[in-house]
Amino acid sequence: CHVVFSSKNLDPQANYYRSNGFSVRLVKDVEGETTNTENGHEYVDIGLSVKWATCIVGATKPEEYGDHFAWGETEPKDYYDYSTYKWCNGSYTTLTKYNHSSSYGTVDNKTTLDLSDDAARANWGGNWRMPTHEEQEELRTQCSWTWTTQNGVNGYTVTGPNGNSIFLPAAGFRDHRDDSSLNYAGSDGRYRSSSLDTYYPYYVFTLYFDSDKVDWCGSSRYVGLSVRPVCQ
C-alpha cells in the first residue's frame, strides 16, 4: 500500500509493484519517550531530584565537548589562569567574591553561585542552572555508570533509577599550564558544580571521572571545565 499525491488529488491506498522506487518518510514510536525541553534545550528525567540536560553547554549533541568555563564566569575564553579570572585580583589569595576565609581575600561567605554568575543560566536561560554538589552526588551514587564510546567519543552512560539515561563525554579541561589547550579529552571528564569547597575557597566541588572511577576532586576556580545543566 502506498500514499500517492499530486497537486490535484490524493490517493492514500494506491497499489504499485514492490519493485517500484518510492520516497520513505520515517516515523518513530513515542511511547517511552524520555526527552523533553526547557527553553529550547532537551533534558531527561532519570528519576532524581532534578532533570539533567542531554548536552554540555556549548554543545548540540550529547557526545560533543562543548565549552569550558572558569567557575563563576559565563563565557569561554582563550586563556585560563588567575591573571584572567573574573573574581580575584590576580591570585587565589585575592578573591573578590565567593570567599569564606580572610586568608584568601574579601569575605562575603557566599558558598553557592549567584544565578547571574551561573554559566548554565546565562547561556540557556529559562530554569536552567548548574547542579549543586549534592545534586551531582545524587547522580554519582544513585545511578549506574558504564564507560562506553558514543559516536567515537569516550564517556559514561549514566542510567538513573527509572531506567532512563544520559551520556557524559570525557571532555577534558583547559588551564594555563598547557597554554589553555584542551587536556585529557577522551580520557577524563571534569564537571562543574555551583558549590564552593567547604575548606578552601579557591577550590570548587567537581565531579571527576575516568575509565576506572567516578569520584570528586577540588578544582581551582580559574580552570576551564564542562557544565552540564539541570532544571526542576
Side-chain angles (χ1 to χ4, degrees):
C1 186
H2 306 79
V3 175
V4 177
F5 62 86
S6 68
S7 60
K8 297 180 179 180
N9 58 65
L10 169 66
D11 186 352
Q13 296 186 357
N15 291 313
Y16 285 85
Y17 291 114
R18 292 166 61 175
S19 59
N20 292 128
F22 289 94
S23 302
V24 175
R25 173 59 65 91
L26 301 179
V27 299
K28 69 174 182 177
D29 295 329
V30 297
E31 182 179 356
E33 184 74 29
T34 60
T35 58
N36 292 280
T37 60
E38 162 62 23
N39 204 38
H41 297 276
E42 289 188 344
Y43 67 80
V44 179
D45 180 356
I46 59 176
L48 302 178
S49 63
V50 291
K51 313 300 191 298
W52 284 83
T54 59
C55 295
I56 293 172
V57 174
T60 59
K61 299 177 181 178
E63 65 272 16
E64 289 180 351
Y65 292 155
D67 293 325
H68 294 74
F69 297 89
W71 192 76
E73 296 186 358
T74 58
E75 296 180 0
K77 55 189 180 182
D78 294 329
Y79 191 69
Y80 292 83
D81 184 66
Y82 274 118
S83 64
T84 64
Y85 180 57
K86 181 177 182 179
W87 300 117
C88 77
N89 289 319
S91 74
Y92 71 95
T93 60
T94 60
L95 300 175
T96 59
K97 192 175 182 180
Y98 304 108
N99 181 25
H100 48 68
S101 173
S102 59
S103 299
Y104 300 102
T106 303
V107 174
D108 57 12
N109 290 315
K110 287 178 174 287
T111 58
T112 302
L113 277 178
D114 292 336
L115 287 175
S116 59
D117 301 322
D118 186 310
R121 177 62 61 88
N123 286 275
W124 284 15
N127 292 313
W128 291 108
R129 59 175 173 80
M130 290 165 58
T132 64
H133 171 56
E134 290 76 17
E135 290 161 349
Q136 285 188 335
E137 177 68 355
E138 185 182 49
L139 185 74
R140 188 179 75 89
T141 60
Q142 296 188 29
C143 299
S144 64
W145 291 66
T146 304
W147 182 258
T148 186
T149 300
Q150 180 166 309
N151 293 327
V153 176
N154 293 333
Y156 275 98
T157 296
V158 185
T159 305
N162 64 5
N164 295 333
S165 63
I166 57 173
F167 178 74
L168 297 180
F173 66 95
R174 298 181 185 273
D175 77 5
H176 70 280
R177 286 169 289 187
D178 197 19
D179 201 29
S180 294
S181 60
L182 189 57
N183 290 279
Y184 294 98
S187 62
D188 77 34
R190 306 182 188 204
Y191 284 72
R192 288 225 172 272
S193 78
S194 60
S195 304
L196 200 65
D197 184 273
T198 306
Y199 298 103
Y200 300 107
Y202 52 87
Y203 282 153
V204 180
F205 283 113
T206 301
L207 181 64
Y208 168 84
F209 62 76
D210 58 27
S211 60
D212 295 321
K213 62 182 177 296
V214 180
D215 208 340
W216 292 103
C217 70
S219 67
S220 296
R221 289 163 58 162
Y222 76 86
V223 178
L225 303 185
S226 304
V227 171
R228 176 62 68 94
V230 297
C231 64
Q232 296 299 135

